[in-house]
Amino acid sequence: LQQLANIGAQGRLAPAEMAEICLRLAQTSEALGLDDDAQTAYRRALEIKPDSVEVLLAFGSFLVRKERWAESATVYQKILDDFSSRLDPPKLADIACLVARGLSQQGKVEQALEFYQKALRFLPAHQGALRAGVDLCRQLGRHQLQAEFLQRLLDLTGPTTSRLRLGLELGDLL
């Protein structure tokens, strides 16, 4: 892969091919535990093809795995800002949740809650966003919004023990 990257750097490969090689090099480097090389390869792929949602998603995932929350939130926010028209609502909701997680891990709980709410605008039945929203509302003392999220979760849950637990939690709030 490194040799192919060198060939591509000499201009003998199309930019799309070169970006794909850099992406594969980044993923391989990460799998081998070569995080600095992986980051360099991800950044090179983005220099070559800055509009590649695939590369941005892969780089964001890399940053999450390395617990580099501020950087991951920035990458995912860029996807939402610049490429949302290319993605379907479930994917947009997932990405908004990833931004929220990055913000939450940085202690930016209010901002994180806003992104979970954004995820719910993309996909109202996104259970991950609802559950995380319940937790953040509990931390922030936003009981009315917490109750709304719990009710929505309750409406989405079939007759299970989870439904009973959610109903009890909602009852405790009211």
Side-chain angles (χ1 to χ4, degrees), residues 55-76:
V55 175
L56 285 164
L57 287 170
F59 187 40
S61 293
F62 167 78
L63 294 169
V64 166
R65 286 189 294 278
K66 301 305 165 193
E67 297 182 358
R68 293 167 54 186
W69 304 113
E71 292 171 273
S72 70
T74 300
V75 168
Y76 290 127

Side-chain angles (χ1 to χ4, degrees), residues 4 14 16 21 41 55 59 69 85 89 111 119 133 142 157 165 167-168 172:
L4 284 173
I21 289 169
V55 175
F59 187 40
W69 304 113
S85 64
Q111 289 176 291
R142 306 252 319 257
T157 307
R165 184 183 53 76
L168 290 172
D172 288 344

